[in-house]
Amino acid sequence: MTMEVSAEQGRTENFTALLGSGWYSPWTPPPPSASPPTEEKDGGADRIRAVAESGFAALAVPREFGGSGAGLVEVASAQRALGTADPSAAIALNMHSFTVGLMTDYWLRHRDTSWMLLEGIAGSQALVASAFAEPGGSPNFMSSRSSATETGKGYVVSGTKYPCSLASTATLVCLTAHIEASDETILALCPAGSPGLTVEGDWPSLGMTASDTARLVLRDVELDERLVFHRGPADVVDDTVVSGMVWFAVLLSATYHGILTSLLDLAFRQVSASGQYGPRANLLGRATRELLAFGGACRQLGHDFEDGRISGHAALAAAVALRATLSDVRDRVVSALTPVVGSRLYTRGHPAAGLLVDSMAAHHHPPSLLVCDRVVADHSTGRDIGFDPVG
């Protein structure tokens, strides 16, 4: 029996090493808690807090401000590692990683007072919720239906953000809002305990049950001017829009690479334990090939953007292309593995079923596939980039 288990471990380790090559990070997931899962009671909040307190929250913050100074690919590697261990939490925390990464990139380009916000995040290991999504959706993540009225000291913000992960665990909320009587939008941090900011209900999704996702409602929330780190026209593709899209696409792709790697690992172990591969070997190889190529593309875009080899509209087109490819790869991997894993994929409570449902969220994230193809086509044909799929 010992020799049989060792042989199985050797075969799966080959697969794990192949798909894990090139991913590196200063952070590793904490060991799973010995206590039973608590997502039914707290939406996964305890698990999310445990990850944040393990050093995850300050990964992207520069070292001079108390963080780990991890770059885009290093943070993506951490997201991938968390995706293999805890998919729901990884999808939720991806929004924190994206927001802090965007803020760091903004500070590196502008060298403004936003360093104080980064220092505060690192000092308290604060989680930052990304409150961009709104009921009805928007093809441009910088546009917003929420309103911001200027005051002498900042803004008064009202609106609804939904769905919003980390709704109850976040210390800060990064949000967008349209400035009344203008064509501009603000990008700002709002303390979660601000008067007028409430968490209402939850998100009745099939998966992501441990993502702490709910509805945030802002009713005349006062926002200090010092918490605003970007202001500009929502329909202009500036450096902030480009950086945000690249960070989001790379981190999102790495997260789902980890989730799909876990599903593939489960399939490998199932077949290896039986000792009978047959036609299933080709299906396993196909799924591995898909993830191997996709992971390489994800890391390449991250490295190219960090090194300045791609920027501007070209970087934006590459980012939305990667995001669209994520949906395609997810479906092709699941299609290849369905005959291998069999009915376990549809058995309530089985790990394979959980991974299947969580991976479906890859199709939910913005931009929509129609918008992605529109952006790539616009850039490739020399037209002005638009985020409206029917415009």
mmCIF file of all heavy atoms in Angstrom, residues 16 67 70 120 187 217 256 258 297 299:
data_model
loop_
_atom_site.group_PDB
_atom_site.id
_atom_site.type_symbol
_atom_site.label_atom_id
_atom_site.label_comp_id
_atom_site.label_asym_id
_atom_site.label_seq_id
_atom_site.Cartn_x
_atom_site.Cartn_y
_atom_site.Cartn_z
ATOM 1 N N THR A 16 1.842 18.894 -10.644
ATOM 2 C CA THR A 16 1.860 20.091 -9.811
ATOM 3 C C THR A 16 3.068 20.961 -10.116
ATOM 4 O O THR A 16 2.959 22.182 -10.206
ATOM 5 C CB THR A 16 1.854 19.699 -8.316
ATOM 6 O OG1 THR A 16 0.702 18.896 -8.046
ATOM 7 C CG2 THR A 16 1.831 20.924 -7.435
ATOM 8 N N GLY A 67 4.893 47.491 3.865
ATOM 9 C CA GLY A 67 4.386 46.320 3.165
ATOM 10 C C GLY A 67 5.482 45.369 2.729
ATOM 11 O O GLY A 67 6.650 45.534 3.092
ATOM 12 N N ALA A 70 5.670 43.462 -2.874
ATOM 13 C CA ALA A 70 5.494 42.470 -3.937
ATOM 14 C C ALA A 70 4.999 43.141 -5.214
ATOM 15 O O ALA A 70 4.148 44.028 -5.174
ATOM 16 C CB ALA A 70 4.512 41.387 -3.497
ATOM 17 N N GLY A 120 -1.260 53.276 5.999
ATOM 18 C CA GLY A 120 -2.322 52.903 6.921
ATOM 19 C C GLY A 120 -2.807 51.487 6.705
ATOM 20 O O GLY A 120 -3.079 50.753 7.668
ATOM 21 N N LEU A 187 -12.266 58.330 -7.470
ATOM 22 C CA LEU A 187 -11.857 57.015 -6.985
ATOM 23 C C LEU A 187 -11.318 57.265 -5.587
ATOM 24 O O LEU A 187 -10.342 58.012 -5.422
ATOM 25 C CB LEU A 187 -10.788 56.417 -7.899
ATOM 26 C CG LEU A 187 -10.367 54.967 -7.697
ATOM 27 C CD1 LEU A 187 -11.557 54.033 -7.856
ATOM 28 C CD2 LEU A 187 -9.271 54.598 -8.696
ATOM 29 N N VAL A 217 -24.806 49.968 0.820
ATOM 30 C CA VAL A 217 -25.646 51.120 0.518
ATOM 31 C C VAL A 217 -25.049 52.353 1.198
ATOM 32 O O VAL A 217 -24.750 52.324 2.402
ATOM 33 C CB VAL A 217 -27.091 50.909 0.997
ATOM 34 C CG1 VAL A 217 -27.947 52.136 0.683
ATOM 35 C CG2 VAL A 217 -27.690 49.663 0.333
ATOM 36 N N TYR A 256 -8.109 32.145 -10.834
ATOM 37 C CA TYR A 256 -8.842 31.021 -11.436
ATOM 38 C C TYR A 256 -7.892 29.944 -11.956
ATOM 39 O O TYR A 256 -8.282 28.776 -12.033
ATOM 40 C CB TYR A 256 -9.771 31.521 -12.541
ATOM 41 C CG TYR A 256 -11.010 32.160 -11.973
ATOM 42 C CD1 TYR A 256 -11.088 33.544 -11.800
ATOM 43 C CD2 TYR A 256 -12.086 31.391 -11.549
ATOM 44 C CE1 TYR A 256 -12.214 34.130 -11.249
ATOM 45 C CE2 TYR A 256 -13.217 31.971 -10.993
ATOM 46 C CZ TYR A 256 -13.268 33.343 -10.844
ATOM 47 O OH TYR A 256 -14.377 33.923 -10.284
ATOM 48 N N GLY A 258 -5.447 28.959 -10.218
ATOM 49 C CA GLY A 258 -5.316 28.142 -9.017
ATOM 50 C C GLY A 258 -6.526 27.265 -8.775
ATOM 51 O O GLY A 258 -6.396 26.084 -8.424
ATOM 52 N N ALA A 297 0.730 32.951 -20.329
ATOM 53 C CA ALA A 297 0.236 34.221 -20.872
ATOM 54 C C ALA A 297 -0.045 35.219 -19.751
ATOM 55 O O ALA A 297 0.230 36.419 -19.882
ATOM 56 C CB ALA A 297 -1.029 33.975 -21.687
ATOM 57 N N ARG A 299 1.396 35.361 -16.681
ATOM 58 C CA ARG A 299 2.659 35.859 -16.127
ATOM 59 C C ARG A 299 3.365 36.789 -17.109
ATOM 60 O O ARG A 299 3.968 37.792 -16.712
ATOM 61 C CB ARG A 299 3.575 34.694 -15.758
ATOM 62 C CG ARG A 299 3.073 33.839 -14.613
ATOM 63 C CD ARG A 299 4.175 32.918 -14.104
ATOM 64 N NE ARG A 299 4.780 32.139 -15.172
ATOM 65 C CZ ARG A 299 4.308 30.986 -15.610
ATOM 66 N NH1 ARG A 299 3.203 30.468 -15.074
ATOM 67 N NH2 ARG A 299 4.925 30.318 -16.581
#
